[in-house]
């Protein structure tokens, strides 16, 4: 399984979109400051996830989400 996720940092008021095979490891890495892009946003909160059988499907959604504006992401999060 491959999971697309949106996480949110209350401290920086930012969203981050990614995809991973293991969500527990992914969120741990973000909160452990192992990812330079998200290091300053700790603690990160999971706001949206969607799982796919293939990585290509997950990457497709990840790219579509990254092209959206903040308001559109929040609509997706609130609808889920």
């Amino acid at each position: 399984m491959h999971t697309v996720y949106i996480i949110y940092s209350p401290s920086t008021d930012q969203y981050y979109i990614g995809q991973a095979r293991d969500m527990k490891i992914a969120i741990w890495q973000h909160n452990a400051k192992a990812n330079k892009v998200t290091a300053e946003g700790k603690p990160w909160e999971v706001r949206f996830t969607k799982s796919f059988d293939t990585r290509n499907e997950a990457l497709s959604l990840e790219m579509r989400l990254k092209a959206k504006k903040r308001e559109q992401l929040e609509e997706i999060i609130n609808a889920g």
Side-chain angles (χ1 to χ4, degrees):
M1 279 294 189
H2 296 269
T3 302
V4 176
Y5 59 88
I6 301 173
I7 55 177
Y8 175 75
S9 167
S11 63
T12 62
D13 191 32
Q14 292 182 318
Y15 289 100
Y16 179 83
I17 301 161
Q19 63 89 23
R21 290 192 72 156
D22 188 322
M23 269 306 298
K24 287 181 183 180
I25 291 173
I27 195 69
W28 178 85
Q29 288 175 329
H30 290 294
N31 283 323
K33 299 184 178 185
N35 183 328
K36 290 180 184 179
V37 175
T38 59
E40 296 306 313
K42 183 180 175 182
W44 289 91
E45 304 169 353
V46 177
R47 293 289 175 93
F48 170 88
T49 62
K50 182 165 175 118
S51 295
F52 295 92
D53 290 328
T54 68
R55 185 168 189 259
N56 283 344
E57 291 172 303
L59 286 172
S60 176
L61 177 59
E62 179 186 10
M63 293 300 112
R64 289 194 313 266
L65 290 174
K66 285 183 174 181
K68 296 197 179 297
K69 295 180 180 180
R70 181 184 179 111
E71 295 80 21
Q72 294 170 308
L73 289 177
E74 289 174 346
E75 287 177 12
I76 291 167
I77 291 166
N78 292 331

